[in-house]
Amino acid sequence: MASPPSVEIINNAMFCNTVHALAYTDTHQKWLIRKHLLSLHIEFSSLSPSVAMFTHNDGTMVNLLKAEGYLHISQYLPSIHVSIWIHEHYPHKPPIVQVTSKSNPTYPIRPNHPFVDPSGVTTSSYLHTWGPFGHDLLGLAYSLVKIFSLDHPFYFASAPTLSHPSYMSKTDCMDRLWWMLHYDMMTLRETTNDEVENLTILQADMSMRVDITTSIIIGLNHERVNLKQRVKEITDESDILINWLAVNKVNLSVAMGGKVEDAFECIDTYSHLALELLAEDQALEDLMYALEKALEKGVIRYEHYMKQVRSLARHQFFFRAKIERLKEVKIFKLLD
């Protein structure tokens, strides 16, 4: 049985004709709301009726009845403070359910809850399928207990044991289906976000590789241009050499059958002397190289090797000194 104070609050609110009158205009509607509120209070005595001003999303303010209090969930889960606002077009419009954290202000509503948004507005299959027949405040309260047992808005709890679908109502099955789909979508969203983040990192890495590859291609293009220029220069030098060979074919025929030096002509005495000194210097260098190889193979002894190298190095020193002296004389002669 409903408590007298609650009945008095409902009766006074229903028949108030002052500026504080409720937004319900139809008499039949008022008696139906009274009946449903009393039935709700009998089964859930913690939900007390009261009158308050409600503001819709469009800013419209109306004076409505509401049932407010702590909704007991189970002995293992804490109670939840709820406000069930009775819409001005009830029962053609469903009630508006709000959850608040009055029971424990330190624990806000869990983010990404399948039935309660961050502002506390609650939805369920019972509200989505609401109709003027077959739905009332008492059925709504039982529906809220079931969905909050399934997923508490303030505390994480282990998933309850699911009953076989054949033992569940249509709305319960829809709530459980939405609950599973909600968390599946969250998991998929997190996985997708991780993949997008990884792809973003890969994209940045690929962009860096593209920049490196582009710089390499630019460098190769410069090198190709330089090589083409060098090929052109070598080709020009080759043409000059071919022309020289054509002009000096007589001397080349002599060189092919005799000494290589005969293929070159010295223009003066200094050039002839310089050619001889350079040839002797190269001959001494070749001889010392041959002695070094002979020492490595053990053909000659180390003492003989050192004796020969000292002698040859002394001769090479004098030849190189003559070459430097000849260069100086040649330079002075050109200056004169």
Side-chain angles (χ1 to χ4, degrees):
M1 182 176 179
S3 61
S6 298
V7 175
E8 184 178 358
I9 291 174
I10 296 173
N11 291 334
N12 291 337
M14 287 294 181
F15 302 103
C16 178
N17 295 321
T18 65
V19 292
H20 301 291
L22 298 175
Y24 317 112
T25 56
D26 183 70
T27 304
H28 176 73
Q29 178 193 26
K30 291 181 179 180
W31 283 106
L32 182 65
I33 292 173
R34 180 180 183 276
K35 176 184 176 181
H36 287 180
L37 266 177
L38 293 176
S39 299
L40 175 65
H41 184 64
I42 291 172
E43 293 295 327
F44 294 89
S45 58
S46 59
L47 299 178
S48 302
S50 61
V51 178
M53 190 67 67
F54 182 81
T55 304
H56 287 285
N57 293 333
D58 59 359
T60 305
M61 299 179 66
V62 289
N63 207 26
L64 299 179
L65 274 169
K66 67 175 180 176
E68 183 177 19
Y70 289 95
L71 190 65
H72 177 72
I73 306 302
S74 70
Q75 60 179 342
Y76 304 106
L77 295 172
S79 299
I80 300 173
H81 189 275
V82 297
S83 297
I84 302 176
W85 296 83
I86 302 176
H87 200 279
E88 61 264 32
H89 299 301
Y90 185 91
H92 299 283
K93 292 288 185 178
I96 302 163
V97 182
Q98 290 180 324
V99 171
T100 61
S101 56
K102 288 185 178 180
S103 58
N104 194 342
T106 58
Y107 285 90
I109 297 173
R110 284 169 38 211
N112 298 316
H113 193 275
F115 303 110
V116 184
D117 68 11
S119 66
V121 176
T122 303
T123 185
S124 67
S125 298
Y126 194 87
L127 290 171
H128 276 298
T129 59
W130 181 275
F133 307 103
H135 293 79
D136 53 27
L137 298 177
L138 183 59
L140 174 61
Y142 283 122
S143 170
L144 294 176
V145 171
K146 290 179 180 179
I147 64 173
F148 292 150
S149 298
L150 184 64
D151 199 330
H152 200 281
F154 299 110
Y155 295 89
F156 282 103
S158 58
T161 303
L162 301 180
S163 304
H164 193 274
S166 60
Y167 299 106
M168 298 167 59
S169 65
K170 180 180 178 180
T171 54
D172 290 342
C173 290
M174 292 175 63
D175 285 330
R176 290 180 183 271
L177 178 60
W178 168 246
W179 173 68
M180 291 186 290
L181 289 175
H182 174 80
Y183 285 109
D184 287 343
M185 288 189 296
M186 284 183 57
T187 303
L188 179 60
R189 187 182 300 114
E190 292 176 358
T191 303
T192 304
N193 290 337
D194 291 340
E195 291 178 356
V196 169
E197 184 178 356
N198 292 332
L199 289 175
T200 303
I201 296 173
L202 180 60
Q203 182 183 19
D205 183 58
M206 295 302 295
S207 298
M208 183 179 64
R209 293 186 182 184
V210 168
D211 294 339
I212 294 174
T213 305
T214 303
S215 62
I216 292 174
I217 292 174
I218 293 173
L220 291 174
N221 287 333
H222 287 315
E223 185 175 354
R224 181 174 60 87
V225 172
N226 294 334
L227 288 174
K228 289 178 68 175
Q229 182 63 28
R230 182 56 183 158
V231 168
K232 184 178 180 302
E233 293 175 357
I234 293 175
T235 302
D236 294 340
E237 293 175 358
S238 299
D239 292 339
I240 295 173
L241 181 58
I242 291 172
N243 293 332
W244 184 87
L245 292 173
V247 173
N248 297 276
K249 57 184 178 179
V250 176
N251 291 334
L252 284 175
S253 62
V254 174
M256 295 295 291
K259 298 179 180 180
V260 177
E261 290 82 357
D262 294 337
F264 299 92
E265 294 182 357
C266 298
I267 59 176
D268 54 20
T269 306
Y270 293 101
S271 300
H272 182 75
L273 182 58
L275 185 62
E276 290 183 353
L277 291 174
L278 289 172
E280 291 177 357
D281 177 67
Q282 188 62 44
L284 290 172
E285 192 71 30
D286 294 340
L287 182 55
M288 285 189 287
Y289 179 77
L291 288 172
E292 183 179 356
K293 291 299 180 181
L295 178 64
E296 292 178 358
K297 295 179 181 180
V299 177
I300 62 174
R301 296 169 60 183
Y302 182 74
E303 294 81 2
H304 294 165
Y305 169 76
M306 291 301 298
K307 181 178 179 181
Q308 293 294 331
V309 169
R310 288 193 188 98
S311 176
L312 294 173
R314 185 167 54 252
H315 286 83
Q316 189 180 38
F317 173 78
F318 288 119
F319 283 126
R320 291 186 177 180
K322 289 179 181 180
I323 293 172
E324 294 299 323
R325 179 60 181 167
L326 188 61
K327 289 181 181 179
E328 293 175 0
V329 173
K330 181 67 174 178
I331 292 172
F332 286 130
K333 187 172 180 63
L334 290 174
L335 292 174
D336 291 341

